[in-house]
Structure formats: structure tokens, C-alpha cells
Amino acid sequence: GYKEVREEEKSQLVGNVFTSVASSYDLMNDLMSGGLHRLWKERLVDKLNPFPGMKHLDVAGGTGDVAFRIMDRINNVARRAARDIQDDHLLEETEIYVCDINPNMLKVGKKRGRLGEEDKSLIWVQGDAEALRFEDESMDGYTVAFGIRNVTHIEKVLTEAHRVLKPGGRFLCLELSHVEAPPILKNLYDYYSFSVIPAMGEVVAGDRESYQYLVESIRRFPQQEKFGRMISEAGFHKVEYENLVGGVVAIHSGLKF
């Protein structure tokens, strides 16, 4: 957020934030966004257009919210298709990796999976977005939702995303961004962000400070155009972004040629 800390301290401090909020993370997302985060994630998956047999990496996806949606979409595609041995084989080859640096977030995601019919294609991996333990050109797709603003070096994350994607693979980032609206609406948004959300975090999660950080981290994140340039500088082509709700969130995308 706005607090100045040494570079080597940031990952530990951010880790402490997500350890604190892990158990209430999904509930708070519903409350803070009025449930809109579900639609935003559906839009992200629409842009990904997942398919049976794909190898996909969802980074900072500990609670599994995006990965479950991707897997549901792949299963729906398979059900709509004429089923044969080849279709079944493609489903068996599907691998959706959920990578998160925080073990508590992964624990929440695994528990959610057990509540339903856990899919063997979902693979949970503890790892650092800045130093992924995946081979070069091994993934068809890469998503990160509401996570990239919390890393220490955004450039390293983007470079790693480019490295692990196959040629033709797509990078997609859903992130809280900068509102492009008249001043009165921006002022209302600022009031909601800095006054309502931390208070909500204190009541629901018993942790005001972590949600104060989350709000401040949004304001420190690069604006849409600048973040798009960073994605291009990492080697991606056809970089574009879509603002949702006037820039409250944005989906950036890029292709690896």
C-alpha cells in the first residue's frame, strides 16, 4: 500500500495479509463487489476460451475461483461435443494448475474442491509468480486475477508468464484498476474504498489493516495504459485491455508469438 518497506520485506508482509484473510477471502469479495467479481471472472474465462486437453496456469489463484470456472467451461464444451474416445482422452489430458505462494489460500481452495466433485485435472501448486517452477513453453494459457498488484516485481511476473506460455498462448490479467469517471463518481468510489471496505474487513474478517492495504495497493498499481506497455515490453503482442464498471477493474491480454 502506501507504507514504504524494504524490497526484501514486501513478500513477507503481503504473505501475512493473505494468511490473515484467507478464510474470509471469497466472502469479502462478494461483499466488496456486490457479487460482481463473479461476472468479472466469467468475462475473464470468456476471453480465455478454454478447451479440452489444454494445459493452463492460474497464478495467485489459491481459492480456486477462476480455476473452477475454467474447468466447468471445459467440461461443458466436452458435453456439448459429440462424445467419443478422442473427447474422453482430451479431457483426461487437461491440466489446470492453481499456483499460489500462500499455503493458506491453497488450503481454502482444496477444501472448496472437496465440497463438490473434485476434478483430477486440477493441480494445486505452491509457488512464486516471479520464479515459476514450470518448463519453458509448457502452457496454453495463463491467468492471474486480483494478484499481480501484490507482487514485488511485476516485470518478473510478466517475463515468467511469457516464458512458460507456448507460442500462440494467451496471457490474461484481471485486476482492480483506475476508475475513468467524472470527479463526483471518483470521489464516491474513493470514499467507499478507504472508509467502507476497511470497516467491512474489520467486522467480517476481524482485520481492518489488511483491507486497508488491499485498497491502497490498488491506487499504487500502474494505470491501464502503462500496465499494457509493461506487458508489451515483456514480449507479448496484440496487447489490449477492457475496462469493466468504468475502470474499477480491467482485463489485460496479450499473445505470445
Side-chain angles (χ1 to χ4, degrees):
Y2 295 151
K3 182 181 179 181
E4 295 295 330
V5 299
R6 292 197 303 271
E7 185 176 292
E8 60 272 19
E9 290 181 326
K10 179 173 178 178
S11 60
Q12 181 179 350
L13 291 171
V14 172
N16 292 341
V17 167
F18 283 93
T19 295
S20 174
V21 305
S23 62
S24 58
Y25 183 76
D26 292 309
L27 172 61
M28 281 295 295
N29 280 345
D30 275 328
L31 294 174
M32 289 187 297
S33 71
L36 287 175
H37 77 100
R38 298 170 182 267
L39 299 178
W40 301 335
K41 290 167 184 172
E42 289 293 338
R43 180 61 178 161
L44 180 73
V45 177
D46 285 343
K47 286 177 171 288
L48 177 65
N49 194 24
F51 54 88
M54 80 180 301
K55 306 291 186 291
H56 182 80
L57 177 59
D58 182 45
V59 171
T63 65
D65 226 22
V66 171
F68 291 137
R69 284 174 166 78
I70 293 171
M71 203 64 241
D72 285 346
R73 192 71 61 89
I74 289 172
N75 287 330
N76 287 337
V77 168
R79 280 194 292 269
R80 287 196 299 268
R83 299 304 304 276
D84 57 26
I85 294 175
Q86 184 177 2
D87 293 327
D88 290 335
H89 182 63
L90 282 174
L91 274 177
E92 290 175 2
E93 287 188 345
T94 302
E95 293 177 357
I96 310 299
Y97 292 88
V98 185
C99 179
D100 201 291
I101 199 169
N102 191 299
N104 293 281
M105 295 289 280
L106 288 169
K107 184 178 179 181
V108 171
K110 290 177 183 178
K111 184 177 180 180
R112 287 182 65 190
R114 287 194 295 270
L115 293 176
E117 184 178 344
E118 188 170 14
D119 200 304
K120 294 180 181 178
S121 296
L122 287 174
I123 303 162
W124 306 84
V125 178
Q126 185 177 353
D128 186 345
E130 296 184 19
L132 296 170
R133 294 176 300 192
F134 295 94
E135 294 182 0
D136 295 357
E137 300 185 353
S138 58
M139 297 291 163
D140 296 297
Y142 177 114
T143 50
V144 54
F146 307 124
I148 201 165
R149 75 181 188 281
N150 298 308
V151 303
T152 305
H153 304 101
I154 294 174
E155 298 88 350
K156 288 184 179 180
V157 174
L158 296 173
T159 299
E160 280 290 89
H162 189 272
R163 178 184 67 79
V164 301
L165 279 169
K166 300 175 184 177
R170 193 170 191 188
F171 166 86
L172 284 160
C173 175
L174 170 65
E175 188 54 86
L176 292 155
S177 198
H178 296 270
V179 174
E180 298 176 356
I184 188 170
L185 293 179
K186 292 184 75 171
N187 290 338
L188 285 172
Y189 178 60
D190 282 343
Y191 173 78
Y192 176 75
S193 298
F194 287 99
S195 298
V196 177
I197 288 178
M200 194 183 298
E202 185 172 16
V203 172
V204 177
D207 189 344
R208 184 185 186 93
E209 186 175 349
S210 290
Y211 283 94
Q212 183 72 31
Y213 156 75
L214 291 174
V215 170
E216 292 175 0
S217 69
I218 298 166
R219 301 304 191 273
R220 296 291 295 268
F221 190 69
Q223 292 194 344
Q224 288 90 321
E225 291 289 345
K226 181 178 179 181
F227 185 48
R229 289 194 297 271
M230 294 172 71
I231 297 170
S232 296
E233 289 166 2
F236 289 99
H237 297 267
K238 294 193 173 183
V239 176
E240 58 187 19
Y241 70 87
E242 177 185 12
N243 278 336
L244 304 176
V245 198
V248 172
V249 295
I251 299 177
H252 282 75
S253 67
L255 288 173
K256 178 176 178 177
F257 285 179

